[in-house]
Amino acid sequence: MARKGRKMIYKTPEEIERSRAACLLVCETLTEVGKMLRPGMTGREIDTFAEEFIRDHGAVPGFKGLYGCPSTLLVSQNEEVVHGLPNETQVFRDGDILSIDCGTVVDEFYGDAAYTFCVGDVAEETMELCRRTKHSLYLGIDAARAGKRVGDISHAVQHYTERESGYGAVRELVGHGLGRSLHEAPDVPNFGKRGRGPVLKAGLIIAIEPMITLGKRNVVSREDGWTIITIDGSPAAHYEHSIAISPDGAPADLMSDHRPIEEAIRNNPNLKFVDNIDEELVAVYQPLDSPVAR
């Protein structure tokens, strides 16, 4: 949800590296989850595994206990946009899409990333929603440069997903700053106008996370007080990277890394891989010839 009245906190290079370590552990966790996902598994199984994996690496789950969250992962299935609570009744089925969001705390700094996994024989229109949502993430990242404004990120995501693709960009939930707190200033909406909002400056860490619906953009909360669903029951996709703004208008420094997650997906016969619409754009931020996260 949008939060106002907070000051943006700029990080030193050393603090950026501490946050990077947390973000990379998030991606390691999602990679291991991607290796094991299959129809018939439950949210409780992968959540238990994720908590043990994070703690075994000397870190703390970033979500569990925060705001009363009962889980390490947030697992949102099909029409669930975000904040789905994994439990034993959440059973994964052939044809599902699963937005899995994860956070960690390493050396006092948070990491945050999310990926939408496609289980089994997912409908092509839903696969296309995932492709375009993932592409909008990189368009947003490419707009995140020192001297630009938050609205430039927001416009890039909204213009591509709503105006060009005909999907819905959720208004009620936003990206955010990241650091010693999971949610810092500024809010980073997935809708907005170019040239509006706070100015982006080097040292700012933000999480960009398009949440895009196949149908109408309107959402409601389930009775559990956590799970956000589309009002029309249409599927929703959600991808998230954390980035640090680079000096002098250079491309952003990607803190998280989806490549090992995608390698796990390619090697898991129970999952379908979501192609990149623009490989060259993705390679600007995740070079194909650089080492995959540890």
Side-chain angles (χ1 to χ4, degrees), residues 268-284:
N268 185 338
N270 299 297
L271 302 179
K272 289 182 74 173
F273 179 73
V274 176
D275 298 293
N276 293 319
I277 288 176
D278 187 341
E279 292 284 2
E280 291 184 2
L281 176 60
V282 174
V284 169

Side-chain angles (χ1 to χ4, degrees), residues 135-165:
H135 184 54
S136 77
L137 170 61
Y138 288 97
L139 293 174
I141 292 170
D142 201 46
R145 300 183 184 232
K148 295 289 188 178
R149 293 179 178 267
V150 168
D152 294 299
I153 301 171
S154 305
H155 176 268
V157 172
Q158 182 187 15
H159 183 81
Y160 180 73
T161 57
E162 285 196 343
R163 297 184 184 178
E164 293 189 18
S165 304

Side-chain angles (χ1 to χ4, degrees), residues 5-75:
R6 302 164 301 152
K7 293 183 179 180
M8 293 188 289
I9 302 172
Y10 302 97
K11 279 71 180 180
T12 66
E14 186 269 340
E15 289 173 328
I16 288 173
E17 292 310 309
R18 289 161 69 182
S19 184
R20 189 192 313 278
C23 289
L24 291 178
L25 180 57
V26 168
C27 293
E28 288 184 64
T29 305
L30 293 177
T31 297
E32 295 304 314
V33 168
K35 292 177 181 178
M36 64 195 301
L37 277 176
R38 65 182 187 279
M41 289 195 79
T42 68
R44 175 63 58 81
E45 288 178 84
I46 63 170
D47 188 63
T48 299
F49 169 83
E51 179 173 1
E52 292 176 354
F53 184 84
I54 291 168
R55 294 190 186 280
D56 285 348
H57 283 72
V60 177
F63 297 167
K64 192 166 188 177
L66 188 68
Y67 313 129
C69 180
S71 59
T72 293
L73 301 176
L74 293 171
V75 183

Side-chain angles (χ1 to χ4, degrees), residues 52-113:
E52 292 176 354
F53 184 84
I54 291 168
R55 294 190 186 280
D56 285 348
H57 283 72
V60 177
F63 297 167
K64 192 166 188 177
L66 188 68
Y67 313 129
C69 180
S71 59
T72 293
L73 301 176
L74 293 171
V75 183
S76 306
Q77 192 173 15
N78 300 324
E79 75 279 4
E80 298 171 353
V81 183
V82 287
H83 301 168
L85 298 180
N87 55 44
E88 64 278 356
T89 65
Q90 186 188 51
V91 181
F92 307 145
R93 303 178 302 270
D94 184 81
D96 281 350
I97 60 171
L98 307 171
S99 163
I100 304 182
D101 197 352
C102 181
T104 66
V105 182
V106 175
D107 197 15
E108 300 182 346
F109 275 77
Y110 278 85
D112 192 12

